[in-house]
Amino acid sequence: MLIASYNPTQMGDVLLTMVRPEAAAQATEQKGRIVRIFNAENNETLGFNFFDVSEILADLAVKGQVFLDQAQVETLNQALQTAGFEPELVFDDEPKFVVGYVAELTEHPDSDHLHIAKIEVDNDQTLQIVCGAPNIEAGQNVVVAKVGAMMPNGAMIWPGKLRGVDSYGMVCAARELELPNAPKKRGILVLDPAEFAARTAFDFEKGAKLFTA
């Protein structure tokens, strides 16, 4: 997993990368212009911050989440190695927002409003996701933010538990995806299967036209 973010207006010329979720106890070490963030209990790398990154990658023009290509990842790994760190970034081109098919829906054993959904997504994966939306039903095509997704508001999607049940992603509402003119009422975005095929990457450009005024 590799998640990258670049926001020069707020953070300066710094590329933030994450390879694992945050840990309860974290520590950092700096070598040159690179900071490694790691789990203080087991020394696992959680991410790296690359300062003055435009001197390493000259083509970063995105504000927000950055989808690094293989050549960019290799360049960052070379910078890590030069600084004295392990070159442990791994290229990740798996889509994080996908159209999922709700194959199964059961009631949560410890909640009167949560559901446990089994959702088929890309790469022959079936994800278990706990969802509290009142309009979710089996047989729907929905937008799934998979583990490793960065929401438009900057929130990260990591594995979690809801009332003791494992959940690996989030079923999204249109407003959570910040689609133009999205309705403010509660409920997930249910897609027309003829327009949005299940088990494929979600097309944000097409989604932006769903609620045109």
Side-chain angles (χ1 to χ4, degrees), residues 110-127:
D110 190 33
S111 172
D112 59 1
H113 71 281
L114 294 176
H115 305 277
I116 303 171
K118 298 293 178 67
I119 302 181
E120 297 174 1
V121 294
D122 60 317
N123 294 328
D124 295 321
Q125 301 175 84
T126 298
L127 302 179

Side-chain angles (χ1 to χ4, degrees), residues 72-158:
Q72 289 172 319
V73 173
E74 290 174 0
T75 299
L76 292 174
N77 273 331
Q78 290 170 5
L80 288 173
Q81 200 162 22
T82 299
F85 288 116
E86 288 295 318
E88 52 185 307
L89 299 181
V90 178
F91 173 58
D92 180 6
D93 64 347
E94 183 176 299
K96 297 301 184 288
F97 292 90
V98 299
V99 180
Y101 174 76
V102 184
E104 181 182 325
L105 195 69
T106 58
E107 300 299 317
H108 192 293
D110 190 33
S111 172
D112 59 1
H113 71 281
L114 294 176
H115 305 277
I116 303 171
K118 298 293 178 67
I119 302 181
E120 297 174 1
V121 294
D122 60 317
N123 294 328
D124 295 321
Q125 301 175 84
T126 298
L127 302 179
Q128 175 173 288
I129 299 177
V130 179
C131 178
N135 63 327
I136 189 170
E137 296 179 5
Q140 293 173 334
N141 281 14
V142 297
V143 181
V144 173
K146 293 162 56 178
V147 169
M150 179 183 289
M151 299 300 293
N153 66 0
M156 297 301 308
I157 303 299
W158 299 117

